[in-house]
Amino acid sequence: MRRFVTLLILLLSSIPFGVSISGCSHTLAPTYCNGGDSGMTTNDVASITMQPVVTGISLNYAEMGQINTPAATNCKGSSASVMSYTYATTDMTTADVQPTTGKLCAGTWNRNTGGGIADYTYCNATNKSGIAYVTASADGVTSNPIPIFVHPVVTSIVFGNASTNCTTDPATNCCPLTTGTVVTAPAYNPNSCISQGSTAQIISRVYAGTTNITCNTGHLSYTAQGATSTTSISPVLSIDQNGVATANLPGSVLVSANISNAASAAGYFSTCPPASIILTAPNATSTGTAADPVVVNENNTQSLVATVLDTNGVTLTGLDLEYVSTTPATIPAGTTGAVTPTLAGSAAITAICQPSACNPAPINQVGLFGNGKPVTSNSVNIKTPGTNSTVLYMASTQSQNVEQIDFTTSVVSSPFHLPYVPNSMVLSTDGSTLYLGSSTELMVLSSVNSLSLSRVDTNSPGVVLAVSPDSSYVILTDPVRQTITVENSSGGIVSTYGGVGTHAEFTPDSQTAYITAGNELLVYSGFTGWTNVNLTTPATDVAITVPSVGAFFAGNPTTSRSYCATSVPSTSGGVTIETNSFFPSADITTGSNPNPIATTDRIAATKDGLHILGVTASTTNPTLSDLRVTLPTQPNTSPATPQACPLAGTLGFPYKLSTTTLNSVTATAITGVIPASDSSVAFVTYTGTGGVLPAYSPVASGLGTTKNISLSGSATAPIAAVISTDNSTLYVGTSGDNLIHLITPNATSGQWTDNSTLTPSLTSPAGAVVPVNLLAQKPRKTT
């Protein structure tokens, strides 16, 4: 064993030393920036950059701040590693800096104060205004200098016009060092708007108390309402670091300015609103007027194009327009303006710039330059030829039963028994739901196929007044509790107001509902909430104009309201504030051509936008009034085109009145005015006697023609009616015989006649047959 150990020692000692250390170490050769073998390497720091490079940092007296972490790069522009930075200032009596952390002091840091207080703990104000420059150094390299602006405590920042005397009235247009650069954009005038795509520099003045310190404060940063915390881009405008705003979309926004952590609601900025929206149907051979509608077959698509001009005549793009149809069940309007009819019928399509999605404004700026107000296009009339089948729903305020008949099979369903006798019935536009009111609860029936009870709501007794065109909202009124309630389709309460409603109608975009409530007129808007108008005489019914720029209200006299608020400007602190009256009167009662007096009990609008038709039973024989309405026109259009919100002139709706007596009718009440969707005819229903159904065919000028359609059998009066969406059949519930009469036009002459009858099986709780006075219909394919 001893020999073996001795041999091993001799063997190891004989290995050369160089071999014994081979492979234990490997040194990488440095890479030099010049590609040679000497000089700066790519591991060395070549430059240090601090931000913000130009605009710097603004601090109030004694305010503390923080330098942003510098960025070090090598000679190749790549990030370089730095263990630590050393910070320095050019004037520690103006702006001092903690050498190792970059913490700033608008004054001088405490140093060597003793008493256990660490250095750089508190900032001593020197009340010295000025600029000091701070740099960061590492590895022998010094950064760019950052200006530190020190000034008295900022108390306010105010928008305004550009200064014309920078000595006595400095503003940000006087301070290229403050803004960071010389701005070439024109100054923004708060008393005007700029068009889409234009730029303007926001002009501000910064105050410490009453002292203007604008050019001592450094760079202001701006944020527009709607912008996020990380960007100053809002839907209406974008603002760059120099306070130059670019108009993106129409609207007015609140812009806040910030400097030295002193945020201020500095002022408002306005981008010019639409003045006109012209809706056309490209490649169509028709004009799209009521007399010359665009014909679009079922399941074919007709694109509509909206050309929007602002108040400066600049064409606007990218607007969030709403496209709405007067008969969305058969001819819906797509979100981009494409119209694809699903069934036969007629519709008027309009485009709406509706705040707040389009042309928004803060509430106290609504109306300034036209911002915050809706603008509606002309209507394009669409006609889809063909015939539809119909599902007809029949009910009575004297029966607990509901019946339906599907005319594709002509089979009357078995009566569906309701929990309570209904006082009203309204079908949702999508045809999926029947809402029936009662004094005890709201009864909701699914009408997708056969009728079934989907829910009851004991918290919502009363009368169903209306369902929104998008089928999302229901308006009910409770005469006992004297409330009017807007609910969503699932039963959740959206809003409630005091009063007892008689009739209600939604605008086609479902954003606004007009409600008559005796001597009160109520308007519910998703934008403005409830508006209450006290009336001297009761309003009994409502009809929304087409386009939906206002509404007419039945009564003695008939009145109207515009959806364009009247705005009264005032100046507060140099800022123009608008005081608005929403949904003001649109009656023309003075001047050389005031509107004539029209008395109506029930009222309706034709879809062509040319007529408001009303009937009153207050005379010996009912009187029908045809109000031939002239809506406001859009500027810069030829020919003149109806528009939503006139920017100048009257908000009134002038009309010419023609009246006719409905002979052979003795009416105790008018129950409805039912126009066809193609505006060719309107029918009048009533309680009383006469045995005839009045039909009125309006014309463009003067009085139209009236014809009494004789009801067959023992019918004494047409008490309720609904017309099919293809305008081929009017379904009439009658008193006297308690039947449903089908009124249809003659294929040759076009004259409407009583063609056939249906026999419903609606009975009272006592078993007596009762008349049908609640009707609803939905269209469906013929097969």
Coordinates of all heavy atoms in Angstrom, one line a residue, residues 168-199:
T168 N -48.3 93.3 -19.7 CA -49.3 93.6 -18.7 C -50.3 92.4 -18.5 O -50.9 92.4 -17.5 CB -50.1 94.9 -19.1 OG1 -50.7 94.7 -20.4 CG2 -49.2 96.1 -19.2
D169 N -50.3 91.6 -19.5 CA -51.3 90.5 -19.5 C -50.7 89.2 -20.1 O -51.1 88.8 -21.1 CB -52.6 90.9 -20.2 CG -53.6 89.8 -20.2 OD1 -53.7 89.1 -19.2 OD2 -54.4 89.7 -21.3
P170 N -49.8 88.6 -19.4 CA -49.1 87.4 -20.0 C -50.1 86.2 -20.0 O -50.9 86.0 -19.1 CB -48.0 87.2 -19.0 CG -48.3 87.8 -17.7 CD -49.1 89.0 -18.1
A171 N -50.1 85.5 -21.1 CA -50.8 84.3 -21.2 C -49.9 83.2 -21.9 O -48.7 83.6 -22.2 CB -52.0 84.5 -22.1
T172 N -50.3 82.0 -22.0 CA -49.4 81.0 -22.5 C -48.9 81.2 -23.9 O -47.9 80.7 -24.3 CB -50.1 79.6 -22.4 OG1 -51.4 79.7 -23.0 CG2 -50.3 79.1 -21.0
N173 N -49.6 82.0 -24.7 CA -49.0 82.4 -26.0 C -47.8 83.3 -25.9 O -47.1 83.5 -26.9 CB -50.1 83.0 -26.9 CG -50.6 84.4 -26.3 OD1 -51.1 84.4 -25.3 ND2 -50.4 85.4 -27.1
C174 N -47.6 83.8 -24.7 CA -46.5 84.7 -24.5 C -45.2 84.0 -24.0 O -44.2 84.6 -23.8 CB -46.8 85.8 -23.4 SG -48.2 86.9 -23.8
C175 N -45.3 82.7 -23.7 CA -44.3 82.0 -23.0 C -43.8 80.8 -23.7 O -44.2 79.6 -23.4 CB -44.8 81.6 -21.6 SG -45.8 82.9 -20.8
P176 N -43.0 81.0 -24.7 CA -42.5 79.8 -25.5 C -41.7 78.9 -24.5 O -41.6 77.6 -24.7 CB -41.6 80.4 -26.6 CG -41.3 81.7 -26.1 CD -42.4 82.2 -25.3
L177 N -41.0 79.4 -23.5 CA -40.2 78.6 -22.6 C -41.2 77.8 -21.8 O -40.9 76.6 -21.4 CB -39.3 79.4 -21.7 CG -38.4 78.7 -20.8 CD1 -37.4 77.8 -21.6 CD2 -37.6 79.7 -19.9
T178 N -42.3 78.4 -21.4 CA -43.3 77.6 -20.6 C -43.9 76.5 -21.4 O -44.1 75.4 -20.9 CB -44.4 78.6 -20.1 OG1 -43.8 79.6 -19.2 CG2 -45.5 77.9 -19.4
T179 N -44.3 76.8 -22.6 CA -45.0 75.8 -23.4 C -44.0 74.7 -24.0 O -44.4 73.7 -24.4 CB -45.8 76.4 -24.6 OG1 -44.8 77.1 -25.4 CG2 -46.9 77.3 -24.1
G180 N -42.8 75.0 -24.0 CA -41.8 74.1 -24.4 C -41.3 74.3 -25.8 O -40.3 73.7 -26.2
T181 N -42.1 75.1 -26.6 CA -41.7 75.3 -28.0 C -42.5 76.5 -28.5 O -43.4 76.9 -27.9 CB -42.0 74.0 -28.8 OG1 -41.5 74.2 -30.2 CG2 -43.5 73.8 -28.9
V182 N -42.1 76.9 -29.6 CA -42.9 78.0 -30.3 C -44.0 77.4 -31.1 O -43.8 76.5 -32.0 CB -42.0 78.8 -31.2 CG1 -42.8 79.9 -32.0 CG2 -40.9 79.5 -30.5
V183 N -45.3 77.7 -30.7 CA -46.4 77.1 -31.3 C -46.9 77.9 -32.5 O -47.0 79.1 -32.4 CB -47.6 77.0 -30.2 CG1 -48.8 76.4 -30.9 CG2 -47.1 76.1 -29.1
T184 N -47.1 77.2 -33.6 CA -47.6 77.9 -34.8 C -49.1 77.8 -35.0 O -49.7 78.5 -35.8 CB -46.9 77.3 -36.0 OG1 -47.2 75.9 -36.1 CG2 -45.4 77.6 -35.9
A185 N -49.8 77.0 -34.2 CA -51.3 76.8 -34.3 C -51.9 78.1 -33.9 O -51.4 78.8 -33.0 CB -51.8 75.7 -33.5
P186 N -53.0 78.5 -34.5 CA -53.8 79.7 -34.0 C -54.3 79.5 -32.6 O -54.5 78.4 -32.1 CB -54.9 79.8 -35.0 CG -55.1 78.4 -35.6 CD -53.8 77.8 -35.6
A187 N -54.5 80.6 -31.9 CA -55.0 80.6 -30.6 C -56.5 80.3 -30.6 O -57.2 80.7 -31.5 CB -54.8 81.9 -29.9
Y188 N -56.9 79.5 -29.6 CA -58.3 79.1 -29.5 C -59.1 80.3 -28.9 O -58.7 80.8 -27.9 CB -58.5 77.8 -28.7 CG -60.0 77.5 -28.5 CD1 -60.8 77.2 -29.6 CD2 -60.5 77.6 -27.2 CE1 -62.1 76.9 -29.4 CE2 -61.9 77.2 -27.0 CZ -62.7 76.9 -28.1 OH -64.0 76.6 -27.9
N189 N -60.2 80.6 -29.6 CA -61.1 81.6 -29.0 C -62.3 80.9 -28.3 O -63.1 80.2 -29.0 CB -61.6 82.5 -30.2 CG -62.6 83.6 -29.7 OD1 -62.9 83.7 -28.5 ND2 -63.1 84.4 -30.6
P190 N -62.4 81.1 -27.0 CA -63.5 80.4 -26.3 C -64.9 80.8 -26.7 O -65.8 80.1 -26.4 CB -63.2 80.8 -24.8 CG -61.8 81.2 -24.8 CD -61.5 81.8 -26.1
N191 N -65.0 81.9 -27.5 CA -66.3 82.3 -28.0 C -66.6 81.8 -29.4 O -67.3 82.4 -30.1 CB -66.4 83.8 -27.9 CG -66.3 84.3 -26.5 OD1 -67.0 83.8 -25.6 ND2 -65.5 85.3 -26.2
S192 N -65.9 80.7 -29.7 CA -66.1 80.2 -31.1 C -65.9 78.7 -31.0 O -65.5 78.1 -30.0 CB -65.2 80.8 -32.1 OG -63.9 80.5 -31.8
C193 N -66.1 78.0 -32.1 CA -65.8 76.6 -32.2 C -64.8 76.4 -33.4 O -64.7 77.3 -34.3 CB -67.0 75.7 -32.4 SG -68.0 76.1 -33.9
I194 N -64.1 75.2 -33.5 CA -63.3 74.9 -34.6 C -63.8 73.7 -35.3 O -64.4 72.8 -34.6 CB -61.8 74.8 -34.2 CG1 -61.6 73.6 -33.3 CG2 -61.3 76.0 -33.5 CD1 -60.1 73.3 -33.1
S195 N -63.6 73.5 -36.5 CA -64.1 72.4 -37.3 C -63.2 71.2 -37.2 O -62.0 71.3 -36.8 CB -64.2 72.8 -38.8 OG -65.2 73.7 -39.0
Q196 N -63.8 70.0 -37.5 CA -63.1 68.8 -37.4 C -61.8 68.8 -38.1 O -61.8 69.3 -39.3 CB -64.0 67.7 -37.9 CG -63.5 66.3 -37.7 CD -64.4 65.2 -38.3 OE1 -64.7 65.2 -39.5 NE2 -64.9 64.3 -37.5
G197 N -60.7 68.3 -37.5 CA -59.4 68.3 -38.2 C -58.6 69.5 -38.0 O -57.4 69.5 -38.2
S198 N -59.2 70.6 -37.5 CA -58.5 71.9 -37.3 C -57.8 71.8 -35.9 O -58.2 71.1 -35.0 CB -59.5 73.1 -37.4 OG -60.1 73.2 -38.6
T199 N -56.8 72.7 -35.8 CA -56.1 72.8 -34.5 C -56.1 74.2 -34.0 O -56.3 75.2 -34.7 CB -54.6 72.4 -34.7 OG1 -54.0 73.2 -35.7 CG2 -54.5 70.9 -35.2

